[in-house]
mmCIF file of all heavy atoms in Angstrom:
data_model
loop_
_atom_site.group_PDB
_atom_site.id
_atom_site.type_symbol
_atom_site.label_atom_id
_atom_site.label_comp_id
_atom_site.label_asym_id
_atom_site.label_seq_id
_atom_site.Cartn_x
_atom_site.Cartn_y
_atom_site.Cartn_z
ATOM 1 N N GLU A 30 -4.608 -2.917 -4.960
ATOM 2 C CA GLU A 30 -5.281 -3.339 -3.731
ATOM 3 C C GLU A 30 -4.815 -4.705 -3.241
ATOM 4 O O GLU A 30 -4.591 -4.897 -2.043
ATOM 5 C CB GLU A 30 -6.795 -3.336 -3.941
ATOM 6 C CG GLU A 30 -7.576 -3.585 -2.679
ATOM 7 C CD GLU A 30 -9.066 -3.378 -2.860
ATOM 8 O OE1 GLU A 30 -9.555 -3.383 -4.008
ATOM 9 O OE2 GLU A 30 -9.735 -3.232 -1.829
ATOM 10 N N GLU A 31 -4.661 -5.647 -4.156
ATOM 11 C CA GLU A 31 -4.248 -6.991 -3.747
ATOM 12 C C GLU A 31 -2.911 -6.953 -2.998
ATOM 13 O O GLU A 31 -2.761 -7.540 -1.935
ATOM 14 C CB GLU A 31 -4.138 -7.897 -4.978
ATOM 15 C CG GLU A 31 -3.790 -9.329 -4.642
ATOM 16 C CD GLU A 31 -3.645 -10.194 -5.894
ATOM 17 O OE1 GLU A 31 -4.383 -9.978 -6.867
ATOM 18 O OE2 GLU A 31 -2.775 -11.086 -5.876
ATOM 19 N N GLN A 32 -1.937 -6.236 -3.568
ATOM 20 C CA GLN A 32 -0.608 -6.160 -2.954
ATOM 21 C C GLN A 32 -0.638 -5.340 -1.656
ATOM 22 O O GLN A 32 -0.014 -5.717 -0.658
ATOM 23 C CB GLN A 32 0.410 -5.546 -3.927
ATOM 24 C CG GLN A 32 0.687 -6.387 -5.137
ATOM 25 C CD GLN A 32 -0.261 -6.083 -6.313
ATOM 26 O OE1 GLN A 32 -1.269 -5.414 -6.183
ATOM 27 N NE2 GLN A 32 0.087 -6.612 -7.475
ATOM 28 N N VAL A 33 -1.350 -4.221 -1.679
ATOM 29 C CA VAL A 33 -1.402 -3.379 -0.483
ATOM 30 C C VAL A 33 -2.028 -4.139 0.672
ATOM 31 O O VAL A 33 -1.495 -4.132 1.791
ATOM 32 C CB VAL A 33 -2.157 -2.050 -0.761
ATOM 33 C CG1 VAL A 33 -2.429 -1.303 0.550
ATOM 34 C CG2 VAL A 33 -1.357 -1.170 -1.715
ATOM 35 N N ILE A 34 -3.126 -4.815 0.420
ATOM 36 C CA ILE A 34 -3.787 -5.575 1.491
ATOM 37 C C ILE A 34 -2.888 -6.717 1.966
ATOM 38 O O ILE A 34 -2.681 -6.899 3.172
ATOM 39 C CB ILE A 34 -5.161 -6.114 1.031
ATOM 40 C CG1 ILE A 34 -6.116 -4.971 0.691
ATOM 41 C CG2 ILE A 34 -5.757 -7.044 2.077
ATOM 42 C CD1 ILE A 34 -6.427 -4.025 1.823
ATOM 43 N N ARG A 35 -2.324 -7.486 1.021
ATOM 44 C CA ARG A 35 -1.486 -8.624 1.392
ATOM 45 C C ARG A 35 -0.327 -8.189 2.296
ATOM 46 O O ARG A 35 -0.090 -8.783 3.346
ATOM 47 C CB ARG A 35 -0.933 -9.311 0.143
ATOM 48 C CG ARG A 35 -0.031 -10.520 0.509
ATOM 49 C CD ARG A 35 0.611 -11.189 -0.698
ATOM 50 N NE ARG A 35 -0.356 -11.467 -1.746
ATOM 51 C CZ ARG A 35 -0.217 -11.083 -3.016
ATOM 52 N NH1 ARG A 35 0.853 -10.434 -3.410
ATOM 53 N NH2 ARG A 35 -1.130 -11.369 -3.908
ATOM 54 N N TYR A 36 0.379 -7.134 1.890
ATOM 55 C CA TYR A 36 1.571 -6.750 2.653
ATOM 56 C C TYR A 36 1.250 -5.891 3.864
ATOM 57 O O TYR A 36 2.012 -5.879 4.828
ATOM 58 C CB TYR A 36 2.608 -6.128 1.721
ATOM 59 C CG TYR A 36 3.038 -7.151 0.692
ATOM 60 C CD1 TYR A 36 2.884 -6.930 -0.665
ATOM 61 C CD2 TYR A 36 3.528 -8.393 1.109
ATOM 62 C CE1 TYR A 36 3.232 -7.906 -1.595
ATOM 63 C CE2 TYR A 36 3.863 -9.373 0.188
ATOM 64 C CZ TYR A 36 3.720 -9.121 -1.157
ATOM 65 O OH TYR A 36 4.059 -10.096 -2.055
ATOM 66 N N SER A 37 0.106 -5.237 3.860
ATOM 67 C CA SER A 37 -0.336 -4.549 5.073
ATOM 68 C C SER A 37 -0.647 -5.577 6.155
ATOM 69 O O SER A 37 -0.306 -5.380 7.319
ATOM 70 C CB SER A 37 -1.574 -3.692 4.799
ATOM 71 O OG SER A 37 -1.266 -2.626 3.944
ATOM 72 N N VAL A 38 -1.285 -6.655 5.752
ATOM 73 C CA VAL A 38 -1.579 -7.732 6.704
ATOM 74 C C VAL A 38 -0.278 -8.379 7.165
ATOM 75 O O VAL A 38 -0.064 -8.572 8.364
ATOM 76 C CB VAL A 38 -2.536 -8.778 6.079
ATOM 77 C CG1 VAL A 38 -2.624 -10.030 6.938
ATOM 78 C CG2 VAL A 38 -3.914 -8.163 5.869
ATOM 79 N N GLU A 39 0.612 -8.699 6.212
ATOM 80 C CA GLU A 39 1.878 -9.353 6.581
ATOM 81 C C GLU A 39 2.675 -8.527 7.582
ATOM 82 O O GLU A 39 3.255 -9.072 8.526
ATOM 83 C CB GLU A 39 2.730 -9.599 5.335
ATOM 84 C CG GLU A 39 4.058 -10.287 5.641
ATOM 85 C CD GLU A 39 4.912 -10.561 4.411
ATOM 86 O OE1 GLU A 39 4.370 -10.604 3.283
ATOM 87 O OE2 GLU A 39 6.131 -10.738 4.583
ATOM 88 N N PHE A 40 2.685 -7.209 7.401
ATOM 89 C CA PHE A 40 3.501 -6.358 8.265
ATOM 90 C C PHE A 40 2.673 -5.578 9.289
ATOM 91 O O PHE A 40 3.185 -4.656 9.931
ATOM 92 C CB PHE A 40 4.352 -5.404 7.415
ATOM 93 C CG PHE A 40 5.356 -6.147 6.577
ATOM 94 C CD1 PHE A 40 5.177 -6.282 5.211
ATOM 95 C CD2 PHE A 40 6.463 -6.754 7.161
ATOM 96 C CE1 PHE A 40 6.089 -6.983 4.428
ATOM 97 C CE2 PHE A 40 7.373 -7.468 6.394
ATOM 98 C CZ PHE A 40 7.190 -7.577 5.029
ATOM 99 N N GLU A 41 1.421 -5.992 9.456
ATOM 100 C CA GLU A 41 0.529 -5.416 10.472
ATOM 101 C C GLU A 41 0.451 -3.893 10.366
ATOM 102 O O GLU A 41 0.639 -3.165 11.337
ATOM 103 C CB GLU A 41 0.980 -5.846 11.872
ATOM 104 C CG GLU A 41 0.963 -7.348 12.060
ATOM 105 C CD GLU A 41 1.560 -7.790 13.377
ATOM 106 O OE1 GLU A 41 2.345 -7.036 13.982
ATOM 107 O OE2 GLU A 41 1.229 -8.903 13.800
ATOM 108 N N LEU A 42 0.144 -3.421 9.161
ATOM 109 C CA LEU A 42 -0.020 -1.996 8.892
ATOM 110 C C LEU A 42 -1.460 -1.708 8.502
ATOM 111 O O LEU A 42 -2.141 -2.579 7.964
ATOM 112 C CB LEU A 42 0.892 -1.562 7.734
ATOM 113 C CG LEU A 42 2.391 -1.696 7.919
ATOM 114 C CD1 LEU A 42 3.108 -1.501 6.588
ATOM 115 C CD2 LEU A 42 2.878 -0.679 8.952
ATOM 116 N N ASP A 43 -1.902 -0.504 8.735
ATOM 117 C CA ASP A 43 -3.197 -0.064 8.239
ATOM 118 C C ASP A 43 -3.027 0.199 6.742
ATOM 119 O O ASP A 43 -2.181 1.009 6.351
ATOM 120 C CB ASP A 43 -3.604 1.222 8.974
ATOM 121 C CG ASP A 43 -4.978 1.728 8.582
ATOM 122 O OD1 ASP A 43 -5.438 1.421 7.460
ATOM 123 O OD2 ASP A 43 -5.570 2.464 9.383
ATOM 124 N N PRO A 44 -3.796 -0.467 5.885
ATOM 125 C CA PRO A 44 -3.652 -0.254 4.444
ATOM 126 C C PRO A 44 -3.817 1.212 4.038
ATOM 127 O O PRO A 44 -3.196 1.666 3.084
ATOM 128 C CB PRO A 44 -4.751 -1.110 3.816
ATOM 129 C CG PRO A 44 -5.177 -2.061 4.862
ATOM 130 C CD PRO A 44 -4.828 -1.464 6.187
ATOM 131 N N HIS A 45 -4.620 1.953 4.787
ATOM 132 C CA HIS A 45 -4.833 3.357 4.436
ATOM 133 C C HIS A 45 -3.567 4.191 4.575
ATOM 134 O O HIS A 45 -3.359 5.136 3.816
ATOM 135 C CB HIS A 45 -5.969 3.955 5.259
ATOM 136 C CG HIS A 45 -7.304 3.373 4.924
ATOM 137 N ND1 HIS A 45 -8.411 3.558 5.707
ATOM 138 C CD2 HIS A 45 -7.728 2.609 3.880
ATOM 139 C CE1 HIS A 45 -9.448 2.940 5.175
ATOM 140 N NE2 HIS A 45 -9.049 2.348 4.068
ATOM 141 N N ILE A 46 -2.711 3.861 5.511
ATOM 142 C CA ILE A 46 -1.448 4.607 5.628
ATOM 143 C C ILE A 46 -0.542 4.237 4.453
ATOM 144 O O ILE A 46 0.184 5.079 3.921
ATOM 145 C CB ILE A 46 -0.760 4.419 7.005
ATOM 146 C CG1 ILE A 46 0.279 5.512 7.264
ATOM 147 C CG2 ILE A 46 -0.099 3.060 7.139
ATOM 148 C CD1 ILE A 46 -0.284 6.857 7.536
ATOM 149 N N VAL A 47 -0.613 2.995 4.014
ATOM 150 C CA VAL A 47 0.178 2.565 2.854
ATOM 151 C C VAL A 47 -0.322 3.289 1.598
ATOM 152 O O VAL A 47 0.483 3.831 0.825
ATOM 153 C CB VAL A 47 0.137 1.030 2.676
ATOM 154 C CG1 VAL A 47 0.887 0.606 1.419
ATOM 155 C CG2 VAL A 47 0.707 0.333 3.912
ATOM 156 N N TYR A 48 -1.638 3.322 1.390
ATOM 157 C CA TYR A 48 -2.182 4.055 0.246
ATOM 158 C C TYR A 48 -1.780 5.526 0.298
ATOM 159 O O TYR A 48 -1.443 6.122 -0.723
ATOM 160 C CB TYR A 48 -3.706 3.962 0.204
ATOM 161 C CG TYR A 48 -4.235 2.653 -0.311
ATOM 162 C CD1 TYR A 48 -5.068 1.874 0.469
ATOM 163 C CD2 TYR A 48 -3.916 2.197 -1.590
ATOM 164 C CE1 TYR A 48 -5.573 0.663 -0.003
ATOM 165 C CE2 TYR A 48 -4.404 1.001 -2.065
ATOM 166 C CZ TYR A 48 -5.235 0.239 -1.262
ATOM 167 O OH TYR A 48 -5.722 -0.957 -1.739
ATOM 168 N N SER A 49 -1.823 6.106 1.475
ATOM 169 C CA SER A 49 -1.469 7.524 1.635
ATOM 170 C C SER A 49 -0.015 7.768 1.269
ATOM 171 O O SER A 49 0.309 8.753 0.590
ATOM 172 C CB SER A 49 -1.743 7.973 3.068
ATOM 173 O OG SER A 49 -3.108 7.787 3.386
ATOM 174 N N LEU A 50 0.863 6.880 1.720
ATOM 175 C CA LEU A 50 2.285 6.998 1.361
ATOM 176 C C LEU A 50 2.487 6.882 -0.149
ATOM 177 O O LEU A 50 3.218 7.670 -0.733
ATOM 178 C CB LEU A 50 3.104 5.902 2.055
ATOM 179 C CG LEU A 50 3.689 6.221 3.407
ATOM 180 C CD1 LEU A 50 4.252 4.957 4.041
ATOM 181 C CD2 LEU A 50 4.746 7.276 3.315
ATOM 182 N N ILE A 51 1.835 5.903 -0.747
ATOM 183 C CA ILE A 51 1.976 5.713 -2.199
ATOM 184 C C ILE A 51 1.468 6.943 -2.943
ATOM 185 O O ILE A 51 2.105 7.412 -3.885
ATOM 186 C CB ILE A 51 1.251 4.433 -2.668
ATOM 187 C CG1 ILE A 51 1.944 3.190 -2.124
ATOM 188 C CG2 ILE A 51 1.192 4.375 -4.195
ATOM 189 C CD1 ILE A 51 1.197 1.884 -2.370
ATOM 190 N N LYS A 52 0.340 7.472 -2.504
ATOM 191 C CA LYS A 52 -0.230 8.662 -3.154
ATOM 192 C C LYS A 52 0.753 9.831 -3.101
ATOM 193 O O LYS A 52 0.970 10.514 -4.092
ATOM 194 C CB LYS A 52 -1.562 9.028 -2.503
ATOM 195 C CG LYS A 52 -2.268 10.212 -3.156
ATOM 196 C CD LYS A 52 -3.675 10.361 -2.611
ATOM 197 C CE LYS A 52 -4.353 11.644 -3.070
ATOM 198 N NZ LYS A 52 -4.420 11.821 -4.503
ATOM 199 N N VAL A 53 1.372 10.040 -1.954
ATOM 200 C CA VAL A 53 2.329 11.143 -1.814
ATOM 201 C C VAL A 53 3.628 10.833 -2.558
ATOM 202 O O VAL A 53 4.164 11.681 -3.268
ATOM 203 C CB VAL A 53 2.636 11.441 -0.328
ATOM 204 C CG1 VAL A 53 3.766 12.449 -0.185
ATOM 205 C CG2 VAL A 53 1.384 11.950 0.378
ATOM 206 N N GLU A 54 4.118 9.628 -2.407
ATOM 207 C CA GLU A 54 5.426 9.272 -2.964
ATOM 208 C C GLU A 54 5.441 9.238 -4.488
ATOM 209 O O GLU A 54 6.356 9.752 -5.113
ATOM 210 C CB GLU A 54 5.891 7.913 -2.431
ATOM 211 C CG GLU A 54 6.313 7.919 -0.975
ATOM 212 C CD GLU A 54 7.650 8.600 -0.729
ATOM 213 O OE1 GLU A 54 8.312 9.051 -1.684
ATOM 214 O OE2 GLU A 54 8.029 8.696 0.446
ATOM 215 N N SER A 55 4.440 8.595 -5.096
ATOM 216 C CA SER A 55 4.506 8.364 -6.543
ATOM 217 C C SER A 55 3.216 8.660 -7.292
ATOM 218 O O SER A 55 3.184 8.495 -8.512
ATOM 219 C CB SER A 55 4.876 6.900 -6.805
ATOM 220 O OG SER A 55 3.811 6.057 -6.378
ATOM 221 N N ALA A 56 2.177 9.054 -6.580
ATOM 222 C CA ALA A 56 0.855 9.247 -7.193
ATOM 223 C C ALA A 56 0.423 7.991 -7.964
ATOM 224 O O ALA A 56 -0.176 8.066 -9.020
ATOM 225 C CB ALA A 56 0.841 10.478 -8.092
ATOM 226 N N PHE A 57 0.801 6.828 -7.425
ATOM 227 C CA PHE A 57 0.441 5.524 -7.972
ATOM 228 C C PHE A 57 1.103 5.221 -9.320
ATOM 229 O O PHE A 57 0.620 4.377 -10.059
ATOM 230 C CB PHE A 57 -1.080 5.357 -8.055
ATOM 231 C CG PHE A 57 -1.732 5.323 -6.703
ATOM 232 C CD1 PHE A 57 -2.237 6.487 -6.132
ATOM 233 C CD2 PHE A 57 -1.812 4.147 -5.984
ATOM 234 C CE1 PHE A 57 -2.821 6.466 -4.871
ATOM 235 C CE2 PHE A 57 -2.394 4.115 -4.730
ATOM 236 C CZ PHE A 57 -2.894 5.278 -4.170
ATOM 237 N N LYS A 58 2.225 5.867 -9.596
ATOM 238 C CA LYS A 58 2.979 5.571 -10.832
ATOM 239 C C LYS A 58 4.017 4.506 -10.490
ATOM 240 O O LYS A 58 4.992 4.772 -9.780
ATOM 241 C CB LYS A 58 3.645 6.845 -11.351
ATOM 242 C CG LYS A 58 2.650 7.865 -11.822
ATOM 243 C CD LYS A 58 3.327 9.134 -12.283
ATOM 244 C CE LYS A 58 2.263 10.170 -12.586
ATOM 245 N NZ LYS A 58 2.728 11.517 -12.324
ATOM 246 N N TRP A 59 3.816 3.319 -11.009
ATOM 247 C CA TRP A 59 4.655 2.172 -10.666
ATOM 248 C C TRP A 59 6.108 2.357 -11.086
ATOM 249 O O TRP A 59 7.016 1.802 -10.470
ATOM 250 C CB TRP A 59 4.102 0.884 -11.272
ATOM 251 C CG TRP A 59 4.053 0.908 -12.778
ATOM 252 C CD1 TRP A 59 3.037 1.375 -13.551
ATOM 253 C CD2 TRP A 59 5.074 0.477 -13.679
ATOM 254 N NE1 TRP A 59 3.347 1.259 -14.874
ATOM 255 C CE2 TRP A 59 4.603 0.710 -14.986
ATOM 256 C CE3 TRP A 59 6.342 -0.078 -13.511
ATOM 257 C CZ2 TRP A 59 5.347 0.416 -16.122
ATOM 258 C CZ3 TRP A 59 7.078 -0.380 -14.636
ATOM 259 C CH2 TRP A 59 6.591 -0.141 -15.920
#
């Protein structure tokens, strides 16, 4: 959450679209 919020704000993105991409792309596996 800390990173998603920080970089969503920096790049003016909705954090929910970022979470959705991460969920599809990697299922949150770093």
Side-chain angles (χ1 to χ4, degrees):
E30 187 172 19
E31 183 182 325
Q32 294 90 347
V33 170
I34 297 300
R35 180 183 311 127
Y36 298 121
S37 293
V38 168
E39 180 179 339
F40 295 106
E41 300 173 338
L42 298 168
D43 183 335
H45 293 167
I46 198 71
V47 176
Y48 283 122
S49 301
L50 269 170
I51 292 172
K52 183 170 171 56
V53 172
E54 288 287 358
S55 67
F57 294 94
K58 293 178 187 149
W59 62 272

